[in-house]
């Protein structure tokens, strides 16, 4: 990740409501590639987003879309697959297969040069994918080690068809040359024309670089390198590194010929040629000529003079050998097969030509036995030498893979291969291998070395402990950028929280050495490449109290929640049909959780009691206790002024009458006799 990834606004963003951007993988001239999660299919993808400043450039935008169309037409195990393409906010993007691993450029930087076997293995895989593109009429035009992906599981894939175009459109337009200058063919430099043979030239340069660890042409300015492409012949790799087979020298020379007509016409022809070289090198192309049993030898005229007067043949023909009588059909009385044609009258005499042929055959049989003895001696000698330099004491062996084993087990495996183990071991941090187990060896596993070579065992110190930055309470994009370089970020977990704004990290968990979950907010350091799961806030659960059921359901659906059970209660304060209270059924609340609600049925109904015969005061007290209001007409009798008439006069009736349904706050009028 580049240093400014922490401020990259794309990290943490959801594109097209489907792709959540997690981290930056690489940045190029036209676009930036990010690691993202396809939340719909729950898989990791690589998403290529065109730079914002190019959005208004129609030519760049069309070229970007052309990459998706070109790659989408292709389907091959050695080509990076394209899943989707679209645009959002005037920003074009391509969704591709995510290949965890390194590029060929990374491999060359680490190992400088590759062995011929490694180089040809990679070249075959690239040629196989490129052959599929050429067969579909697509020219890559930007082949370089950066575009060859080496997956962790051993797959080799060719990607980045950003400059691809149809093979029929082989004339470049504009003044600029497209592609990387170190791999441009002479015709691209001089005429701006490109076809499938231009891709072959770039592959030849890549093969030279894999074998030697450096590019054939160097210069301080790009034009110096371009001039060499146009005017010089690529040197043989064996001139720079000894031991490279002549077949690879020839392959480099053929693929980097300055004249395109002298190169393979496409990737399939070059791949078939490599397959033929391998078969010839392993002896699979051999022709055995079998001598027939009853061959007829023809001796040219002039080699013998016929003695028979009636013999005018220009040649003498040798017939099959005469059968014995026991070999004839029936075992007796059979007619003998004719022998060699004789020219004289003397019985049993051969012609001079036949006699010379018989003498020559005898000499050949004697020489054949001598040759057979010599061949057997040479085979025995060759077998002895082969045994000595093969399984014998002078042979080569491959260092076995001992990572993850104990030191004693590793020593046994190494010594079983005829290797020596150094008395002292080395140590290093290892994010994969447990502490105390073997991390690697020096030289590394799978390297071919002489028997008896001393191999040092390197023991794991466990993962390197790295200080953790502030996590809880920080924005997701900030935390992702701070952790992604050193740790393995797992898929984020989301939940609603009333205490943290949306897209804020509210928790982080990892794994301890015992496999149990660890709250990373309680520790200061964590092991390198350790798994980290971030819990991110979705904000507070929306408040639906006071809303109707339909409005509440729409509000919850908008944030990924559902309306749960609906209980009904009387309420003197909340109108009928509105929600009195809401409570989540789950804790914590996540997307898809249900929110249970209580819906108001309106005020509580009251059956008006019968207060007939009670004094006005007693009736008023009874009705007040029920939350009802009481209205008592004023007493107009002059005697009422001389005593407490409300405590004495009985209620004769009520309005509404006894048994009626009323509600809290309703007014009840009392009638009495004055």
């Amino acid at each position: 990740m580049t240093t400014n990834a922490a401020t990259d606004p794309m990290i943490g963003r959801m594109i097209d409501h489907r792709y959540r951007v997690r981290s930056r993988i690489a940045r190029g001239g036209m676009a930036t590639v990010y690691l993202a999660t396809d939340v719909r299919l729950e898989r990791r993808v690589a998403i290529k987003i065109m730079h914002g400043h190019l959005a208004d450039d129609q030519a760049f935008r069309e070229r970007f879309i052309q990459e998706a169309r070109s790659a989408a037409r292709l389907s091959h195990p050695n080509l990076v697959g394209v899943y989707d393409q679209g645009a959002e906010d005037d920003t074009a993007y391509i969704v591709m297969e995510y290949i965890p691993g390194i590029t060929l450029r990374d491999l060359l930087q680490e190992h400088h040069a590759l062995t011929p076997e490694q180089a040809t293995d990679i070249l075959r895989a690239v040629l196989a994918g490129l052959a599929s593109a050429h067969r579909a009429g697509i020219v890559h035009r930007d082949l370089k080690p950066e575009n060859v992906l080496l997956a962790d599981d051993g797959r080799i894939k060719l990607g980045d068809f950003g400059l691809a175009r149809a093979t029929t459109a082989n004339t470049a337009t504009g003044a600029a040359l497209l592609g990387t200058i170190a791999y441009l063919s002479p015709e691209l430099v001089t005429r701006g024309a490109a076809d499938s043979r231009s891709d072959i030239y770039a592959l030849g340069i890549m093969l030279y670089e894999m074998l030697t660890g450096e590019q054939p042409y160097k210069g301080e300015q790009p034009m110096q390198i371009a001039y060499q492409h146009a005017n010089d012949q690529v040197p043989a790799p064996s001139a720079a590194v000894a031991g490279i087979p002549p077949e690879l020298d020839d392959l480099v020379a053929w693929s980097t010929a300055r004249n395109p007509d002298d190169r393979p016409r496409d990737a399939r022809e070059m791949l078939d040629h490599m397959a033929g070289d391998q078969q010839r090198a392993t002896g699979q192309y051999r022709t055995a000529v079998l001598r027939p049993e009853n061959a007829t030898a023809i001796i040219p005229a002039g080699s013998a003079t016929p003695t028979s007067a009636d013999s005018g043949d220009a040649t003498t023909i040798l017939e099959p050998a005469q059968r014995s009588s026991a070999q004839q059909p029936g075992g007796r009385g059979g007619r003998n097969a004719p022998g060699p044609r004789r020219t004289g009258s003397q019985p049993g005499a051969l012609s001079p030509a036949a006699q010379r042929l018989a003498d020559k055959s005898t000499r050949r049989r004697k020489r054949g036995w001598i040759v057979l003895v010599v061949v057997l001696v040479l085979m025995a000698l060759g077998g002895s030498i082969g045994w000595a330099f093969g399984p014998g004491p002078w042979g080569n062996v491959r260092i076995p893979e001992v990572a993850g084993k104990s030191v004693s087990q590793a020593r046994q495996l190494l010594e079983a291969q005829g290797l020596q183990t150094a008395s002292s071991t080395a140590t290093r941090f290892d994010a994969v291998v447990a502490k105390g187990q073997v991390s690697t060896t020096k030289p590394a596993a799978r390297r071919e070395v002489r028997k008896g070579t001393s191999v040092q065992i390197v023991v794991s110190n466990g993962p390197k402990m790295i200080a953790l930055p502030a996590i809880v309470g920080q924005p997701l994009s900030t935390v992702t950028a701070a952790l992604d370089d050193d740790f393995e970020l797992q898929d984020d977990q989301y939940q609603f929280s009333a205490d943290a704004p949306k897209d804020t990290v509210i928790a982080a968990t990892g794994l301890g050495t015992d496999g149990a979950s660890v709250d990373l907010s309680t520790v200061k350091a964590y092991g390198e490449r350790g798994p980290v799961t971030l819990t991110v806030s979705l904000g507070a659960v929306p408040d639906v109290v006071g809303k109707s059921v339909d409005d509440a359901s729409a509000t919850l659906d908008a944030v990924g929640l559902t309306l749960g059970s609906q209980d009904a209660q009387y309420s003197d304060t909340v109108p009928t049909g509105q929600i009195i209270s809401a409570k989540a059924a789950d804790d914590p609340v996540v997307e898809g959780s249900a929110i249970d609600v209580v819906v108001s049925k309106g005020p509580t109904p009251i059956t008006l009691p019968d207060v007939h015969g009670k004094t006005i005061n007693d009736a008023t007290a009874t009705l007040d206790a029920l939350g009802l209001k009481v209205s008592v007409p004023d007493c107009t009798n002059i005697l009422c002024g001389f005593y407490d008439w409300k405590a004495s006069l009985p209620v004769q009736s009520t309005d509404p009458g006894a048994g009626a349904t009323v509600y809290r706050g309703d007014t009840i009028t009392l009638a009495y006799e004055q």
Side-chain angles (χ1 to χ4, degrees):
M1 183 180 295
T2 56
T3 55
N4 64 342
T7 60
D8 193 327
M10 294 302 303
I11 296 177
R13 178 176 169 181
M14 180 73 79
I15 296 178
D16 204 12
H17 304 289
R18 179 171 180 176
Y19 306 105
R20 183 172 295 280
V21 179
R22 300 176 57 83
S23 60
R24 182 188 297 176
I25 297 175
R27 182 179 177 88
M30 293 174 59
T32 300
V33 181
Y34 296 91
L35 173 63
T37 299
D38 183 343
V39 297
R40 186 178 302 170
L41 299 180
E42 296 183 353
R43 68 178 175 185
R44 290 192 172 189
V45 296
I47 184 166
K48 189 174 190 178
I49 302 176
M50 186 175 66
H51 293 164
H53 68 278
L54 299 176
D56 296 331
D57 191 324
Q58 187 63 25
F60 273 101
R61 190 179 183 89
E62 290 178 356
R63 185 179 302 152
F64 191 81
I65 296 174
Q66 177 62 32
E67 173 181 3
R69 292 174 178 172
S70 298
R73 290 169 54 188
L74 306 175
S75 178
H76 192 274
N78 296 113
L79 295 178
V80 175
V82 171
Y83 298 146
D84 193 9
Q85 182 271 328
E88 184 180 71
D89 299 334
D90 296 329
T91 299
Y93 66 86
I94 301 172
V95 181
M96 303 174 292
E97 177 185 7
Y98 172 58
I99 309 295
I102 62 174
T103 66
L104 177 56
R105 174 65 65 205
D106 298 329
L107 185 66
L108 289 174
Q109 289 176 347
E110 181 178 355
H111 294 281
H112 184 63
L114 307 182
T115 65
E117 293 81 5
Q118 292 170 332
T120 52
D121 284 346
I122 293 174
L123 182 62
R124 284 193 191 94
V126 175
L127 279 170
L130 190 61
S132 175
H134 286 176
R135 185 168 56 252
I138 300 298
V139 181
H140 191 286
R141 300 205 306 164
D142 195 20
L143 289 170
K144 54 187 176 182
E146 287 81 356
N147 291 338
V148 178
L149 307 180
L150 310 177
D152 292 338
D153 58 7
R155 293 176 295 159
I156 302 173
K157 288 182 175 277
L158 175 62
D160 198 350
F161 279 75
L163 301 182
R165 66 188 304 176
T167 53
T168 56
N170 58 3
T171 302
T173 58
L177 286 176
L178 299 177
T180 304
I181 194 69
Y183 306 92
L184 290 184
S185 60
E187 62 270 18
L188 262 174
V189 173
T190 58
R191 305 190 308 273
D195 58 17
S196 57
R197 296 170 297 180
S198 304
D199 284 348
I200 297 300
Y201 183 90
L203 281 181
I205 300 296
M206 286 172 54
L207 177 58
Y208 181 95
E209 188 174 358
M210 287 190 287
L211 294 171
T212 65
E214 59 185 14
Q215 297 166 354
Y217 300 137
K218 299 178 182 178
E220 296 180 357
Q221 299 295 330
M223 288 308 300
Q224 294 176 329
I225 300 176
Y227 178 85
Q228 294 176 75
H229 279 295
N231 296 278
D232 295 342
Q233 179 63 43
V234 175
S238 60
V241 176
I244 293 178
E247 292 84 2
L248 292 183
D249 282 344
D250 295 341
L251 194 62
V252 170
W254 186 31
S255 58
T256 59
R258 280 188 292 170
N259 186 350
D261 294 335
D262 295 335
R263 302 179 208 143
R265 65 179 179 275
D266 56 20
R268 172 52 58 188
E269 182 178 0
M270 188 172 178
L271 185 62
D272 292 344
H273 176 82
M274 291 183 65
D277 277 349
Q278 182 183 20
Q279 288 174 322
R280 285 188 289 273
T282 56
Q284 294 181 17
Y285 286 164
R286 294 179 178 176
T287 302
V289 180
L290 301 179
R291 191 180 305 275
E293 289 186 13
N294 297 325
T296 300
I298 301 176
I299 302 176
S303 59
T305 302
T307 58
S308 175
D310 60 351
S311 178
D313 293 340
T315 58
T316 302
I317 303 176
L318 302 180
E319 303 291 357
Q322 185 178 10
R323 294 181 183 179
S324 67
S325 61
Q327 293 172 320
Q328 299 303 321
R332 59 188 177 88
R335 183 177 178 181
N336 292 340
R341 183 177 297 172
R342 290 174 170 79
T343 58
S345 60
Q346 183 179 357
L350 295 176
S351 67
Q355 186 62 50
R356 284 196 298 271
L357 181 61
D359 295 341
K360 190 174 183 179
S361 298
T362 301
R363 290 193 300 270
R364 284 181 176 175
R365 283 195 296 271
K366 291 179 179 179
R367 286 199 301 269
W369 282 107
I370 297 174
V371 171
L372 178 60
V373 172
V374 173
V375 169
L376 291 176
V377 171
L378 291 177
M379 289 177 60
L381 181 60
S384 299
I385 295 174
W387 174 84
F389 285 94
W394 301 332
N396 291 344
V397 294
R398 290 189 182 275
I399 298 176
E401 179 63 70
V402 295
K405 301 186 181 298
S406 66
V407 174
S408 60
Q409 290 174 330
R411 290 186 188 276
Q412 292 176 1
L413 289 173
L414 292 169
E415 291 171 357
Q417 295 294 321
L419 300 169
Q420 301 291 330
T421 54
S423 57
S424 60
T425 60
T427 59
R428 75 168 187 176
F429 291 110
D430 194 314
V432 177
V433 179
K435 184 176 182 180
Q437 294 180 339
V438 176
S439 173
T440 185
T441 56
K442 295 181 180 179
R446 296 185 294 276
R447 288 284 301 276
E448 191 170 287
V449 296
R450 291 279 188 188
K451 287 186 177 180
T453 299
S454 178
V455 179
Q456 186 180 36
I457 295 174
V458 181
V459 181
S460 170
N461 270 338
K464 180 181 178 181
M465 301 303 291
I466 298 178
L468 291 171
I471 297 178
V472 175
Q474 301 297 315
L476 174 62
S477 58
T478 301
V479 175
T480 300
L483 299 180
D484 196 51
D485 282 343
D486 299 318
F487 308 103
E488 289 291 339
L489 293 180
Q490 309 301 301
D491 290 339
D492 300 328
Q493 306 294 322
Y494 289 85
Q495 67 183 53
F496 289 87
S497 173
D499 301 323
K502 185 178 181 181
D503 292 330
T504 300
V505 178
I506 56 179
T509 57
L511 290 180
T513 55
D514 57 353
S517 296
V518 176
D519 184 356
L520 297 184
S521 64
T522 63
V523 298
K524 295 182 178 180
Y526 186 53
E528 184 180 19
R529 308 318 304 171
V532 176
T533 301
L534 300 176
T535 303
V536 185
S537 172
L538 290 172
V541 175
D543 185 9
V544 295
V545 173
K547 294 180 180 291
S548 67
V549 172
D550 290 341
D551 289 345
S553 178
T555 300
L556 295 175
D557 285 343
V559 295
L561 298 173
T562 61
L563 188 64
S565 63
Q566 303 175 37
D567 293 335
Q569 291 183 4
Y570 292 108
S571 173
D572 297 325
T573 58
V574 180
T576 302
Q578 294 184 2
I579 294 176
I580 301 172
S581 63
K583 182 180 180 181
D586 301 327
D587 186 21
V589 183
V590 299
E591 287 185 345
S593 292
I595 305 298
D596 299 332
V597 297
V598 177
V599 184
S600 173
K601 298 196 303 184
T604 305
I606 302 172
T607 300
L608 186 65
D610 185 4
V611 293
H612 178 265
K614 291 185 178 183
T615 64
I616 294 175
N617 284 345
D618 290 343
T620 299
T622 299
L623 297 176
D624 282 343
L626 296 175
L628 300 172
K629 297 178 181 179
V630 178
S631 174
V632 180
D634 291 336
C635 181
T636 58
N637 192 322
I638 191 171
L639 296 176
C640 290
F642 297 97
Y643 68 101
D644 186 1
W645 58 276
K646 289 184 178 182
S648 302
L649 297 177
V651 174
Q652 290 185 331
S653 64
T654 60
D655 184 18
T661 300
V662 295
Y663 299 92
R664 291 178 63 88
D666 287 356
T667 300
I668 309 300
T669 302
L670 303 181
Y672 59 93
E673 185 178 354
Q674 298 188 12

